Amino acid sequence: MTGAAPAGDDIADRVAAAVIAVPGVAFLHGGVFGEIGTYLPGRRVSGVAVRDDATEVHIAVTTDSVVRDTADAVRRAVRAVVDKPVNVLVEDVVPVDSPQAGSDPSESSEPGGGTPAP
């Protein structure tokens, strides 16, 4: 992979950066209960599970994308970073103008999601 590596430069960070760069990906999806992720010292990369035998990526796509084409593009992007099978799971489809697009709702720090009140 070329270019500057994300902070931490862990393989999970590189996979996440490659996935988010794919057109049609709204966000990496951490799963219904936030169970999908790679744990690193002091933080978590949501929606990416790096395993010995394969890499699993969970995403939400935008309504203006073709789901199969977006998943294939994600698979190709991740294969440029890892040398093992890549499994892509589409967890959700969100409107392009949705406030969810660009963030993982399972990563909210507030119970029930949203932002804290002032």
Side-chain angles (χ1 to χ4, degrees):
M1 186 171 140
T2 60
D9 196 24
D10 187 83
I11 189 71
D13 291 320
R14 294 192 305 265
V15 167
V19 171
I20 293 302
V22 173
V25 173
F27 54 86
L28 283 158
H29 197 289
V32 176
F33 301 106
E35 71 276 14
I36 308 302
T38 298
Y39 292 89
L40 300 172
R43 63 192 178 92
R44 179 174 180 277
V45 180
S46 181
V48 176
V50 178
R51 298 188 172 91
D52 292 336
D53 60 340
T55 298
E56 192 172 300
V57 178
H58 294 242
I59 60 173
V61 298
T62 57
T63 53
D64 65 343
S65 66
V66 177
V67 174
R68 182 179 301 254
D69 293 347
T70 303
D72 287 343
V74 166
R75 190 173 296 105
R76 286 190 304 275
V78 174
R79 285 285 295 156
V81 177
V82 299
D83 189 25
K84 59 179 102 177
V86 177
N87 301 315
V88 178
L89 291 91
V90 177
E91 297 279 354
D92 204 355
V93 179
V94 298
V96 177
D97 58 353
S98 168
Q100 287 181 319
S103 66
D104 181 353
S106 71
E107 289 292 299
S108 173
S109 61
E110 291 297 308
T115 56

